[in-house]
Amino acid sequence: MLPDCIVIVGAGQAAAHAADTLRRKGFAGKLTIVGDEPWLPYQRPPLSKKYLAGAMERERLLLRPAQFYETRSVDVRLRRRVERISRSEQRVRLDDGSTLPYDALLIATGCRPRPLGVPGVDLEGVHYLRTLTDVERLRAGMSAGTRLVIVGGGYIGLEVAATARQLGLDVTVLELADRLMSRVVSPQVSAFYATEHGHRGVRIVCNAKVRALEAGRGARRVCTVVTEDGARYPADVVVIGVGVQPADELASAAGLACENGIVVDDRCRTSDPAIYAAGDCTSHPSAHYGRRLRLESVDNAVEQAASAALNLLGIDTVHDKVPWFWSDQYDLKLIIVGIGQGCDSVVLRGDPASRAFSCCYLQGGELCAIDTVNRAQDQMAGRKLIAARAHPDLDKLADPNVPLRETC
């Protein structure tokens, strides 16, 4: 039996796309989105880039204008948090004491910043970066000459570093690992970005474990970041970007299976047949890669939300897309297609000094992922070849003058 009443918990990219898909595919029942922020669903990628730089207005962040939800009869409950899921009653309880019944529930709670467990993280001037409100607080303290220390050399940290340098801040990045973005890119790409940031005046310090954040004497504002080796880095502002955690507490408390996120099947169903989940908060099976994945990307949120919505309507849809991710830093566009971790070889395609190159990941000769920097043609061809489990000729693959689509 198809549902008459659907509640979506979370008001981000996945929630907005699921609601849009449900209405476009003919769902005429009651549809409610519950989100704890004061804003309608909005884009998060610009937060560390254009919006942080002041080059983008808040209204342009919105995925859909208010009229979209009104004309499609989507009841959006903002500034409200779902505190409990009662699976036996098929109801959710909100933080104001009200309840909402559901025939089907979609959890799209996303993720939250991983906390840095050291003394001083509660000082003034210390920021995490996840929400629009986070960015507005950070932006208020950013001006030319401000000393910014970023803890974490991943996507968010480096995007903030690039934006801050363009605004004239003094920037230092402290990374625990031995190279930047080590979890997601090849050593060649890490080295390239370290060089690029260095050329623009960003101090990159790897193998740096933060021990504490300190305030000035008698003050409550951060002034120094101290690492385990005793080094001290002056700071007027600190941004912590050491990864994220799935926001799966609500699901776990309801007794749903959770392991590195809410466990779903290839139809986005949880361990409760009336509850689905989509986006950053989920762990889903990938037939292509033969293992479970939890992905933090707009692409996955959109694709998984669409799959969940279709399955809610009885339209059998398997979610098994080749994922892709992107990061904009300065005039460099990094696009990652596929999952390269665990592959047995990497082929460099082009010269990093040209500022347009690719790194191709292979497993047993099969192309399983590709990192591209300013090479749109490679990432577009790469998507098709990865999906087709192509085995390219290695000599052709290493030659940037041979179109990637012609390497097989």
Side-chain angles (χ1 to χ4, degrees), residues 172-303:
T172 300
V173 175
L174 304 178
E175 168 54 41
L176 178 63
D178 60 359
R179 61 185 178 89
L180 299 176
M181 298 185 286
S182 61
R183 190 170 62 90
V184 293
V185 300
S186 69
Q188 296 94 324
V189 174
S190 293
F192 171 77
Y193 274 90
T195 298
E196 287 290 328
H197 279 278
H199 284 164
R200 289 167 172 79
V202 177
R203 286 181 293 278
I204 303 289
V205 184
C206 292
N207 298 301
K209 184 177 182 180
V210 173
R211 183 173 70 198
L213 309 180
E214 296 180 349
R217 180 172 297 179
R220 284 293 302 159
R221 186 172 185 87
V222 69
C223 71
T224 308
V225 179
V226 185
T227 53
E228 286 288 356
D229 61 0
R232 303 175 66 84
Y233 299 90
D236 302 308
V237 178
V238 173
V239 171
I240 299 172
V242 292
V244 296
Q245 298 172 325
D248 60 0
E249 296 85 355
L250 184 66
S252 180
L256 299 176
C258 293
E259 185 176 351
N260 187 30
I262 304 168
V263 175
V264 298
D265 65 11
D266 58 3
R267 269 80 174 173
C268 306
R269 296 173 296 211
T270 71
S271 52
D272 183 322
I275 303 178
Y276 290 64
D280 295 10
C281 64
T282 68
S283 166
H284 71 273
S286 169
H288 189 93
Y289 290 101
R291 63 183 188 270
R292 298 193 72 85
L293 302 175
R294 190 180 69 77
L295 302 174
E296 302 154 12
S297 74
V298 169
D299 170 63
N300 182 67
V302 168
E303 294 288 353

Side-chain angles (χ1 to χ4, degrees), residues 188 345-350 358-362 394-395 397-399:
Q188 296 94 324
S345 61
V346 178
V347 174
L348 180 63
R349 181 173 165 81
S358 301
C359 282
C360 303
Y361 300 76
L362 298 106
L394 297 186
D395 290 334
L397 190 64
D399 186 346

Side-chain angles (χ1 to χ4, degrees), residues 349 357-358 370 372 375-383 403-404:
R349 181 173 165 81
F357 68 100
S358 301
I370 185 170
T372 68
R375 279 188 69 92
Q377 67 273 31
D378 277 3
Q379 64 93 3
M380 292 174 67
R383 293 187 196 200
L404 186 61

Side-chain angles (χ1 to χ4, degrees), residues 35-215:
D36 60 4
E37 292 189 62
W39 323 107
L40 289 170
Y42 60 87
Q43 307 172 66
R44 294 190 190 274
L47 293 182
S48 56
K49 300 180 280 288
K50 287 187 177 181
Y51 192 71
L52 179 60
M56 188 177 193
E57 296 178 354
R58 183 188 298 163
E59 290 70 24
R60 289 181 56 205
L61 288 174
L62 297 181
L63 292 163
R64 300 284 191 279
Q67 184 181 13
F68 169 87
Y69 303 97
E70 295 167 3
T71 58
R72 289 159 180 78
S73 299
V74 180
D75 180 13
V76 184
R77 308 282 184 95
L78 300 177
R79 303 178 189 267
R80 291 274 70 90
R81 185 179 69 257
V82 173
E83 290 191 329
R84 182 173 181 270
I85 299 170
S86 175
R87 293 166 55 192
S88 60
E89 298 177 347
Q90 292 198 181
R91 285 181 172 273
V92 296
R93 186 183 70 206
L94 278 56
D95 57 350
D96 63 355
S98 63
T99 63
L100 293 172
Y102 66 83
D103 297 319
L105 185 69
L106 175 61
I107 302 176
T109 45
C111 56
R112 60 175 54 89
R114 186 180 301 278
L116 181 66
V118 301
V121 293
D122 57 345
L123 292 172
E124 295 176 12
V126 178
H127 302 266
Y128 290 91
L129 195 63
R130 180 65 182 171
T131 69
L132 195 157
T133 301
D134 292 338
V135 176
E136 293 187 343
R137 288 174 180 162
L138 172 60
R139 193 164 63 180
M142 292 178 64
S143 59
T146 297
R147 296 171 301 180
L148 170 64
V149 174
I150 300 169
V151 182
Y155 288 149
I156 295 298
L158 295 180
E159 288 172 359
V160 171
T163 300
R165 278 304 297 148
Q166 290 169 318
L167 294 174
L169 278 72
D170 180 280
V171 181
T172 300
V173 175
L174 304 178
E175 168 54 41
L176 178 63
D178 60 359
R179 61 185 178 89
L180 299 176
M181 298 185 286
S182 61
R183 190 170 62 90
V184 293
V185 300
S186 69
Q188 296 94 324
V189 174
S190 293
F192 171 77
Y193 274 90
T195 298
E196 287 290 328
H197 279 278
H199 284 164
R200 289 167 172 79
V202 177
R203 286 181 293 278
I204 303 289
V205 184
C206 292
N207 298 301
K209 184 177 182 180
V210 173
R211 183 173 70 198
L213 309 180
E214 296 180 349

Side-chain angles (χ1 to χ4, degrees), residues 6-54:
I6 297 175
V7 174
I8 302 175
V9 183
Q13 187 93 40
H17 197 72
D20 181 35
T21 303
L22 286 166
R23 287 305 192 214
R24 282 191 295 104
K25 294 299 182 179
F27 177 65
K30 185 172 179 55
L31 180 57
T32 304
I33 294 175
V34 183
D36 60 4
E37 292 189 62
W39 323 107
L40 289 170
Y42 60 87
Q43 307 172 66
R44 294 190 190 274
L47 293 182
S48 56
K49 300 180 280 288
K50 287 187 177 181
Y51 192 71
L52 179 60

